[in-house]
Amino acid sequence: MTTARRRGLLDTRTVILLPRLRDPAALPAEPLISTITLAELSVGPLAARSDEERANRQAHVQQAEADFDPLPFDAAAARSFGHVAASLRRAGRTATARTYDAMIASVAIANELPLYTCNPGGFTGIDGLTIHEIPHPDHGTH
């Protein structure tokens, strides 16, 4: 495995899809999450429309809390967020449209980590972000 693939930050969608991913080798050897992903996951149970959906979403939160020690959105990430927002604006997008994604990208940039995602389109136009696309389990023929 190359050094570049040793550590990497997972976005929220990828964390949710982890149990269903077909190719675990596509993930970094040391997968990490940010406190932003934990925050985003924590909204899920509160916004659920049924008891079953609430239970499933709560299971994602608890699994993420058990499996990861999240990287913080700290001062370095806050400074990176300014660059992320500016690059999104230059690309004709706004950071507010996908605030969680922009903040997750900021944590990745601040920690010099590649971002592993099943939704690379959510991170288009962010300067300085290295993206590794993880095959979505519901797409393709793999």
Side-chain angles (χ1 to χ4, degrees):
M1 179 170 284
T2 66
T3 303
R5 296 183 72 84
R6 292 193 64 211
R7 298 177 78 219
L9 190 69
L10 308 181
D11 73 328
T12 306
R13 173 63 50 201
T14 304
V15 171
I16 291 169
L17 293 172
L18 275 175
R20 297 180 45 222
L21 294 180
R22 293 187 187 122
D23 184 11
L27 294 168
E30 185 181 347
L32 305 165
I33 68 168
S34 72
T35 53
I36 304 308
T37 290
L38 195 54
E40 191 173 7
L41 288 171
S42 296
V43 172
L46 302 172
R49 296 181 185 171
S50 70
D51 289 341
E52 181 181 359
E53 183 180 16
R54 185 174 297 102
N56 287 337
R57 290 179 176 191
Q58 186 61 40
H60 286 298
V61 174
Q62 291 171 325
Q63 193 66 56
E65 289 175 338
D67 290 348
F68 298 99
D69 183 18
L71 296 174
F73 186 87
D74 57 11
R79 285 188 297 277
S80 291
F81 184 80
H83 294 287
V84 168
S87 65
L88 286 171
R89 199 168 286 147
R90 283 191 300 276
R93 302 177 70 201
T94 63
T96 55
R98 306 224 20 141
T99 302
Y100 292 126
D101 287 347
M103 293 176 80
I104 290 167
S106 300
V107 172
I109 292 167
N111 287 279
E112 299 179 354
L113 294 169
L115 181 73
Y116 287 74
T117 179
C118 293
N119 180 28
F123 299 93
T124 299
I126 298 176
D127 295 337
L129 180 66
T130 301
I131 298 171
H132 290 281
E133 183 174 359
I134 303 295
H136 194 290
D138 296 335
H139 304 149
T141 58
H142 300 249

